[in-house]
Amino acid sequence: MNRLCRIEIDDSALPPATPEMEQERRVAIFDLIEDNSFAISGRDGAEAPPGPYALDLAIREGRLVFDIATEAETQVAEFHLSMGPFRQVVKDYFQICNSYFDAVKRLPPAQIEAIDMARRGIHNEGARTLQERLEGKADLDIDTARRLFTLICALIPQG
């Protein structure tokens, strides 16, 4: 029951996503729905409503917003997280992804593998940052945090 059953991304304030970005979002959402661990923490001595949960993810007024409801659409929580702790890791992640995509076109496999290992390391750092920011609000495993970090990156315009 402690899982996400539906995920929506509110990207209405963003430029249209490229086909590659759309594909990455679809894959991350599919993977999340297939396998995730997400539990809302109780507050003020009260137990949290049981899952599964529906998540609407957005950036509003410069803050990362997790709007969480039950499967029956009853809102159970809304978290607004500062983007500050994510800025550097997201910037690093975009840079290493660009390096990886360039490397795939022109470098030998050993060098591609080295860049991919660095990319995974930065991705893990972003996932750990997300887990830390959600501490006391929601519990999620590292794989769920990694996939959610991918979706957070999809909400941040590159530039």
Side-chain angles (χ1 to χ4, degrees):
M1 297 302 280
N2 289 334
R3 59 182 301 279
L4 297 169
C5 62
R6 182 183 61 76
I7 300 162
E8 298 288 329
I9 297 176
D10 178 1
D11 61 357
S12 58
L14 299 174
T18 66
E20 294 83 7
M21 288 170 60
E22 277 298 325
Q23 177 64 14
E24 204 167 310
R25 289 179 192 179
R26 279 193 297 275
V27 168
I29 290 171
F30 177 84
D31 288 347
L32 262 167
I33 298 300
E34 287 295 306
D35 182 29
N36 71 79
S37 173
F38 189 94
I40 301 297
S41 300
R43 297 199 112 154
D44 302 322
E47 283 191 32
Y53 304 104
L55 169 65
D56 288 334
L57 191 61
I59 293 182
R60 294 187 202 122
E61 298 175 7
R63 298 180 71 78
L64 180 60
V65 178
F66 283 72
D67 189 354
I68 303 158
T70 63
E71 197 171 19
E73 301 295 326
T74 303
Q75 185 178 23
V76 294
E78 185 171 288
F79 311 133
H80 294 248
L81 306 178
S82 169
M83 289 300 297
F86 294 101
R87 280 197 175 85
Q88 188 61 50
V89 71
V90 168
K91 180 181 177 184
D92 293 346
Y93 184 67
F94 284 150
Q95 286 177 336
I96 197 77
C97 284
N98 287 336
S99 295
Y100 175 78
F101 295 132
D102 287 343
V104 167
K105 296 174 195 169
R106 57 183 179 78
L107 294 178
Q111 287 177 299
I112 294 169
E113 189 174 316
I115 293 170
D116 190 45
M117 285 178 59
R119 183 187 60 80
R120 285 193 306 266
I122 293 169
H123 200 198
N124 286 338
E125 182 183 340
R128 284 189 300 275
T129 300
L130 179 59
Q131 284 179 309
E132 290 167 9
R133 301 297 299 148
L134 287 174
E135 192 170 325
K137 298 172 180 66
D139 293 320
L140 56 160
D141 66 9
I142 191 67
D143 290 333
T144 300
R146 283 177 53 82
R147 292 174 182 129
L148 284 172
F149 179 73
T150 299
L151 295 179
I152 291 166
C153 288
L155 284 169
I156 299 171
Q158 292 186 48

Short mmCIF file of all heavy atoms in Angstrom, two decimals, residues 21-61:
data_model
loop_
_atom_site.label_atom_id
_atom_site.label_comp_id
_atom_site.label_asym_id
_atom_site.label_seq_id
_atom_site.Cartn_x
_atom_site.Cartn_y
_atom_site.Cartn_z
N MET A 21 12.77 14.33 -24.27
CA MET A 21 12.35 14.59 -22.90
C MET A 21 11.05 13.87 -22.58
O MET A 21 10.90 13.30 -21.50
CB MET A 21 12.19 16.10 -22.66
CG MET A 21 13.49 16.85 -22.60
SD MET A 21 13.28 18.66 -22.61
CE MET A 21 12.30 18.92 -21.15
N GLU A 22 10.11 13.90 -23.52
CA GLU A 22 8.84 13.19 -23.32
C GLU A 22 9.07 11.71 -23.12
O GLU A 22 8.46 11.09 -22.25
CB GLU A 22 7.91 13.42 -24.52
CG GLU A 22 7.13 14.70 -24.48
CD GLU A 22 6.19 14.82 -23.29
OE1 GLU A 22 5.62 13.79 -22.85
OE2 GLU A 22 6.05 15.93 -22.79
N GLN A 23 9.95 11.13 -23.93
CA GLN A 23 10.25 9.70 -23.81
C GLN A 23 10.87 9.39 -22.44
O GLN A 23 10.50 8.42 -21.79
CB GLN A 23 11.17 9.24 -24.94
CG GLN A 23 11.60 7.80 -24.85
CD GLN A 23 10.44 6.81 -24.97
OE1 GLN A 23 9.34 7.15 -25.38
NE2 GLN A 23 10.69 5.58 -24.58
N GLU A 24 11.80 10.23 -22.01
CA GLU A 24 12.45 10.03 -20.71
C GLU A 24 11.42 10.09 -19.58
O GLU A 24 11.44 9.29 -18.64
CB GLU A 24 13.54 11.08 -20.50
CG GLU A 24 14.61 10.64 -19.55
CD GLU A 24 15.83 11.54 -19.59
OE1 GLU A 24 16.35 11.81 -20.68
OE2 GLU A 24 16.25 11.95 -18.50
N ARG A 25 10.48 11.04 -19.66
CA ARG A 25 9.42 11.15 -18.66
C ARG A 25 8.55 9.89 -18.65
O ARG A 25 8.24 9.36 -17.59
CB ARG A 25 8.52 12.35 -18.96
CG ARG A 25 9.15 13.67 -18.71
CD ARG A 25 8.18 14.77 -19.07
NE ARG A 25 8.85 16.05 -19.10
CZ ARG A 25 8.27 17.19 -19.41
NH1 ARG A 25 6.98 17.21 -19.71
NH2 ARG A 25 8.95 18.30 -19.43
N ARG A 26 8.14 9.45 -19.85
CA ARG A 26 7.28 8.26 -19.93
C ARG A 26 7.97 7.04 -19.32
O ARG A 26 7.34 6.28 -18.58
CB ARG A 26 6.89 7.97 -21.38
CG ARG A 26 5.75 8.84 -21.89
CD ARG A 26 5.18 8.32 -23.20
NE ARG A 26 6.12 8.33 -24.30
CZ ARG A 26 6.37 9.38 -25.07
NH1 ARG A 26 5.72 10.50 -24.90
NH2 ARG A 26 7.26 9.29 -26.04
N VAL A 27 9.24 6.87 -19.63
CA VAL A 27 9.99 5.73 -19.10
C VAL A 27 10.09 5.83 -17.58
O VAL A 27 9.86 4.85 -16.86
CB VAL A 27 11.39 5.62 -19.75
CG1 VAL A 27 12.27 4.65 -19.01
CG2 VAL A 27 11.26 5.23 -21.21
N ALA A 28 10.43 7.02 -17.06
CA ALA A 28 10.57 7.20 -15.61
C ALA A 28 9.23 6.95 -14.91
O ALA A 28 9.19 6.28 -13.86
CB ALA A 28 11.10 8.59 -15.29
N ILE A 29 8.14 7.47 -15.48
CA ILE A 29 6.82 7.25 -14.87
C ILE A 29 6.45 5.78 -14.92
O ILE A 29 5.99 5.21 -13.93
CB ILE A 29 5.75 8.14 -15.55
CG1 ILE A 29 5.98 9.61 -15.17
CG2 ILE A 29 4.34 7.68 -15.16
CD1 ILE A 29 5.13 10.60 -15.94
N PHE A 30 6.67 5.13 -16.06
CA PHE A 30 6.36 3.71 -16.18
C PHE A 30 7.15 2.91 -15.14
O PHE A 30 6.58 2.08 -14.42
CB PHE A 30 6.68 3.20 -17.59
CG PHE A 30 6.44 1.73 -17.76
CD1 PHE A 30 5.18 1.24 -18.04
CD2 PHE A 30 7.48 0.82 -17.61
CE1 PHE A 30 4.94 -0.12 -18.18
CE2 PHE A 30 7.27 -0.55 -17.74
CZ PHE A 30 5.99 -1.01 -18.03
N ASP A 31 8.46 3.16 -15.05
CA ASP A 31 9.30 2.45 -14.10
C ASP A 31 8.85 2.71 -12.65
O ASP A 31 8.85 1.80 -11.83
CB ASP A 31 10.77 2.86 -14.25
CG ASP A 31 11.40 2.30 -15.52
OD1 ASP A 31 10.81 1.41 -16.14
OD2 ASP A 31 12.50 2.78 -15.87
N LEU A 32 8.48 3.96 -12.36
CA LEU A 32 8.01 4.29 -11.02
C LEU A 32 6.73 3.54 -10.66
O LEU A 32 6.61 2.99 -9.57
CB LEU A 32 7.74 5.79 -10.91
CG LEU A 32 8.84 6.62 -10.30
CD1 LEU A 32 8.59 8.10 -10.54
CD2 LEU A 32 9.00 6.34 -8.83
N ILE A 33 5.77 3.52 -11.57
CA ILE A 33 4.50 2.85 -11.30
C ILE A 33 4.72 1.35 -11.12
O ILE A 33 4.11 0.72 -10.26
CB ILE A 33 3.48 3.12 -12.43
CG1 ILE A 33 3.16 4.61 -12.53
CG2 ILE A 33 2.21 2.30 -12.23
CD1 ILE A 33 2.58 5.24 -11.29
N GLU A 34 5.63 0.79 -11.91
CA GLU A 34 5.90 -0.64 -11.83
C GLU A 34 6.54 -1.04 -10.50
O GLU A 34 6.23 -2.09 -9.96
CB GLU A 34 6.83 -1.07 -12.98
CG GLU A 34 6.15 -1.10 -14.32
CD GLU A 34 5.07 -2.15 -14.41
OE1 GLU A 34 5.33 -3.33 -14.12
OE2 GLU A 34 3.93 -1.78 -14.76
N ASP A 35 7.43 -0.19 -9.97
CA ASP A 35 8.17 -0.56 -8.78
C ASP A 35 8.56 0.70 -8.02
O ASP A 35 9.42 1.45 -8.47
CB ASP A 35 9.42 -1.36 -9.16
CG ASP A 35 10.22 -1.82 -7.95
OD1 ASP A 35 9.63 -2.02 -6.88
OD2 ASP A 35 11.44 -1.97 -8.09
N ASN A 36 7.92 0.93 -6.88
CA ASN A 36 8.28 2.07 -6.06
C ASN A 36 7.90 1.81 -4.61
O ASN A 36 7.12 0.91 -4.31
CB ASN A 36 7.64 3.36 -6.58
CG ASN A 36 6.13 3.41 -6.36
OD1 ASN A 36 5.68 3.71 -5.26
ND2 ASN A 36 5.36 3.13 -7.40
N SER A 37 8.48 2.60 -3.75
CA SER A 37 8.17 2.56 -2.33
C SER A 37 8.04 4.00 -1.86
O SER A 37 9.02 4.75 -1.89
CB SER A 37 9.29 1.85 -1.57
OG SER A 37 9.08 1.93 -0.19
N PHE A 38 6.83 4.39 -1.49
CA PHE A 38 6.55 5.78 -1.13
C PHE A 38 5.51 5.78 -0.02
O PHE A 38 4.40 5.26 -0.21
CB PHE A 38 6.03 6.54 -2.35
CG PHE A 38 5.91 8.02 -2.15
CD1 PHE A 38 6.94 8.86 -2.52
CD2 PHE A 38 4.77 8.57 -1.60
CE1 PHE A 38 6.84 10.23 -2.35
CE2 PHE A 38 4.65 9.95 -1.42
CZ PHE A 38 5.69 10.78 -1.79
N ALA A 39 5.86 6.32 1.13
CA ALA A 39 4.94 6.36 2.27
C ALA A 39 4.92 7.77 2.84
O ALA A 39 5.97 8.39 3.02
CB ALA A 39 5.37 5.37 3.34
N ILE A 40 3.74 8.26 3.12
CA ILE A 40 3.58 9.56 3.76
C ILE A 40 3.83 9.38 5.26
O ILE A 40 3.34 8.42 5.86
CB ILE A 40 2.15 10.12 3.54
CG1 ILE A 40 1.85 10.26 2.05
CG2 ILE A 40 1.94 11.43 4.26
CD1 ILE A 40 2.73 11.23 1.34
N SER A 41 4.56 10.30 5.85
CA SER A 41 4.81 10.25 7.28
C SER A 41 3.62 10.83 8.03
O SER A 41 3.01 11.80 7.57
CB SER A 41 6.07 11.06 7.63
OG SER A 41 7.19 10.53 6.95
N GLY A 42 3.32 10.25 9.19
CA GLY A 42 2.25 10.81 10.03
C GLY A 42 2.70 12.14 10.61
O GLY A 42 3.89 12.42 10.72
N ARG A 43 1.74 12.97 10.98
CA ARG A 43 2.06 14.29 11.53
C ARG A 43 1.26 14.53 12.80
O ARG A 43 0.12 14.11 12.89
CB ARG A 43 1.74 15.37 10.51
CG ARG A 43 2.62 15.23 9.26
CD ARG A 43 2.60 16.50 8.55
NE ARG A 43 3.94 17.06 8.64
CZ ARG A 43 4.42 17.88 7.75
NH1 ARG A 43 3.69 18.25 6.75
NH2 ARG A 43 5.62 18.36 7.88
N ASP A 44 1.89 15.23 13.72
CA ASP A 44 1.24 15.62 14.98
C ASP A 44 0.59 14.44 15.69
O ASP A 44 -0.53 14.53 16.19
CB ASP A 44 0.20 16.73 14.72
CG ASP A 44 0.81 17.97 14.07
OD1 ASP A 44 1.95 18.33 14.44
OD2 ASP A 44 0.15 18.56 13.19
N GLY A 45 1.28 13.30 15.68
CA GLY A 45 0.79 12.12 16.36
C GLY A 45 -0.27 11.34 15.61
O GLY A 45 -0.70 10.28 16.07
N ALA A 46 -0.70 11.84 14.48
CA ALA A 46 -1.73 11.15 13.69
C ALA A 46 -1.07 10.28 12.63
O ALA A 46 -0.03 10.65 12.08
CB ALA A 46 -2.66 12.16 13.02
N GLU A 47 -1.67 9.15 12.34
CA GLU A 47 -1.16 8.29 11.28
C GLU A 47 -1.51 8.88 9.93
O GLU A 47 -2.56 9.50 9.77
CB GLU A 47 -1.77 6.89 11.39
CG GLU A 47 -1.16 6.06 12.48
CD GLU A 47 -1.58 4.60 12.38
OE1 GLU A 47 -1.81 4.11 11.26
OE2 GLU A 47 -1.69 3.98 13.44
N ALA A 48 -0.64 8.66 8.97
CA ALA A 48 -0.91 9.13 7.61
C ALA A 48 -1.95 8.22 6.96
O ALA A 48 -2.00 7.02 7.26
CB ALA A 48 0.37 9.10 6.79
N PRO A 49 -2.77 8.77 6.09
CA PRO A 49 -3.70 7.91 5.36
C PRO A 49 -2.93 6.88 4.54
O PRO A 49 -1.86 7.19 4.00
CB PRO A 49 -4.44 8.88 4.43
CG PRO A 49 -4.20 10.23 5.01
CD PRO A 49 -2.89 10.16 5.73
N PRO A 50 -3.44 5.66 4.48
CA PRO A 50 -2.73 4.63 3.73
C PRO A 50 -2.76 4.89 2.23
O PRO A 50 -3.68 5.54 1.73
CB PRO A 50 -3.48 3.35 4.09
CG PRO A 50 -4.85 3.81 4.46
CD PRO A 50 -4.69 5.17 5.06
N GLY A 51 -1.75 4.38 1.54
CA GLY A 51 -1.70 4.47 0.08
C GLY A 51 -2.55 3.38 -0.51
O GLY A 51 -3.29 2.72 0.20
N PRO A 52 -2.46 3.20 -1.79
CA PRO A 52 -1.51 3.86 -2.70
C PRO A 52 -1.88 5.34 -2.93
O PRO A 52 -3.00 5.76 -2.68
CB PRO A 52 -1.63 3.05 -3.99
CG PRO A 52 -2.93 2.34 -3.92
CD PRO A 52 -3.27 2.20 -2.47
N TYR A 53 -0.86 6.07 -3.44
CA TYR A 53 -0.99 7.51 -3.60
C TYR A 53 -0.87 7.93 -5.06
O TYR A 53 -0.18 7.30 -5.85
CB TYR A 53 0.11 8.23 -2.80
CG TYR A 53 0.13 7.87 -1.34
CD1 TYR A 53 1.11 7.01 -0.85
CD2 TYR A 53 -0.80 8.40 -0.47
CE1 TYR A 53 1.14 6.68 0.51
CE2 TYR A 53 -0.77 8.08 0.88
CZ TYR A 53 0.19 7.21 1.36
OH TYR A 53 0.22 6.89 2.68
N ALA A 54 -1.53 9.05 -5.35
CA ALA A 54 -1.38 9.72 -6.64
C ALA A 54 -0.51 10.95 -6.40
O ALA A 54 -0.71 11.67 -5.42
CB ALA A 54 -2.74 10.12 -7.19
N LEU A 55 0.45 11.18 -7.26
CA LEU A 55 1.37 12.30 -7.11
C LEU A 55 1.26 13.23 -8.30
O LEU A 55 1.34 12.80 -9.45
CB LEU A 55 2.82 11.78 -7.02
CG LEU A 55 3.94 12.82 -7.12
CD1 LEU A 55 3.89 13.78 -5.94
CD2 LEU A 55 5.29 12.13 -7.21
N ASP A 56 1.04 14.51 -8.00
CA ASP A 56 1.16 15.56 -9.01
C ASP A 56 2.43 16.32 -8.67
O ASP A 56 2.58 16.83 -7.55
CB ASP A 56 -0.04 16.50 -8.98
CG ASP A 56 -1.30 15.85 -9.54
OD1 ASP A 56 -1.18 14.93 -10.36
OD2 ASP A 56 -2.40 16.26 -9.14
N LEU A 57 3.34 16.38 -9.62
CA LEU A 57 4.65 17.00 -9.42
C LEU A 57 4.73 18.25 -10.27
O LEU A 57 4.39 18.22 -11.46
CB LEU A 57 5.73 15.99 -9.83
CG LEU A 57 7.17 16.28 -9.51
CD1 LEU A 57 7.39 16.38 -8.00
CD2 LEU A 57 8.06 15.19 -10.10
N ALA A 58 5.14 19.37 -9.67
CA ALA A 58 5.20 20.64 -10.40
C ALA A 58 6.26 21.54 -9.79
O ALA A 58 6.75 21.30 -8.69
CB ALA A 58 3.84 21.34 -10.33
N ILE A 59 6.58 22.59 -10.53
CA ILE A 59 7.36 23.69 -9.97
C ILE A 59 6.45 24.91 -10.03
O ILE A 59 5.94 25.28 -11.10
CB ILE A 59 8.67 23.92 -10.74
CG1 ILE A 59 9.59 22.72 -10.54
CG2 ILE A 59 9.34 25.22 -10.26
CD1 ILE A 59 10.93 22.83 -11.19
N ARG A 60 6.21 25.48 -8.85
CA ARG A 60 5.35 26.66 -8.74
C ARG A 60 6.07 27.71 -7.91
O ARG A 60 6.56 27.40 -6.82
CB ARG A 60 4.03 26.31 -8.05
CG ARG A 60 3.16 25.37 -8.86
CD ARG A 60 1.79 25.21 -8.21
NE ARG A 60 1.21 23.97 -8.68
CZ ARG A 60 0.82 22.98 -7.90
NH1 ARG A 60 0.88 23.09 -6.59
NH2 ARG A 60 0.32 21.88 -8.40
N GLU A 61 6.10 28.91 -8.43
CA GLU A 61 6.75 30.03 -7.74
C GLU A 61 8.17 29.67 -7.30
O GLU A 61 8.61 29.99 -6.20
CB GLU A 61 5.90 30.49 -6.56
CG GLU A 61 4.54 31.00 -6.99
CD GLU A 61 3.63 31.35 -5.83
OE1 GLU A 61 4.09 31.33 -4.66
OE2 GLU A 61 2.46 31.65 -6.10
#
